[in-house]
Amino acid sequence: QVQLVESGGGLVQPGGSLRLSCAASISIFSMYNMGWYRQAPGKQRELVAAISSGGSPNYADSVKGRFTISRDNGKKMVNLQMNSLKPGDTAVYYCRAATSIGGGDYWGKGTLVTVSS
């Protein structure tokens, strides 16, 4: 059974930082591309950051320079360090694991990040 469990969400003030973690119960974690997505109320889910099985990161323009995605294949975890948070970052953040061709596509249940004063 594949399972992704996010943690680290919460309430922070604008300009603050938060670190999200995703623990993956995947047999061969290193084979998966990992990503963080977010969905704000009334909006579509969007890609925030992704990191390939080879460790190459990509970011949405809106978070570039503020967020950092990383993975630890030994621990089977992917993290998202979020700095200089803005109210617009408020959303439910989801962890995703997927193969390039489509042999696997899994989602976590999400963790809520609220940026407000």
Side-chain angles (χ1 to χ4, degrees):
Q1 174 78 312
V2 174
Q3 187 175 28
L4 303 176
V5 181
E6 303 97 334
S7 62
L11 174 64
V12 296
Q13 295 184 350
S17 298
L18 212 57
R19 185 176 180 85
L20 305 183
S21 296
C22 173
S25 61
I26 299 177
S27 59
I28 312 179
F29 177 78
S30 62
M31 293 180 62
Y32 286 79
N33 301 310
M34 302 297 298
W36 285 98
Y37 293 71
R38 68 186 182 189
Q39 187 167 25
K43 297 183 179 180
Q44 292 187 333
R45 188 173 299 184
E46 64 175 349
L47 174 67
V48 177
I51 186 165
S52 71
S53 60
S56 298
N58 287 286
Y59 302 93
D61 289 339
S62 60
V63 306
K64 196 169 297 182
R66 298 189 297 122
F67 292 9
T68 302
I69 189 171
S70 61
R71 67 188 296 160
D72 188 326
N73 290 340
K75 296 180 179 179
K76 296 184 177 181
M77 295 187 68
V78 60
N79 302 305
L80 184 68
Q81 178 65 48
M82 305 185 294
N83 299 324
S84 302
L85 284 162
K86 305 174 181 179
D89 295 320
T90 296
V92 176
Y93 284 70
Y94 298 90
C95 179
R96 184 193 184 193
T99 57
S100 298
I101 299 177
D105 191 354
Y106 308 99
W107 293 83
K109 294 182 178 180
T111 184
L112 177 63
V113 172
T114 302
V115 185
S116 176
S117 59

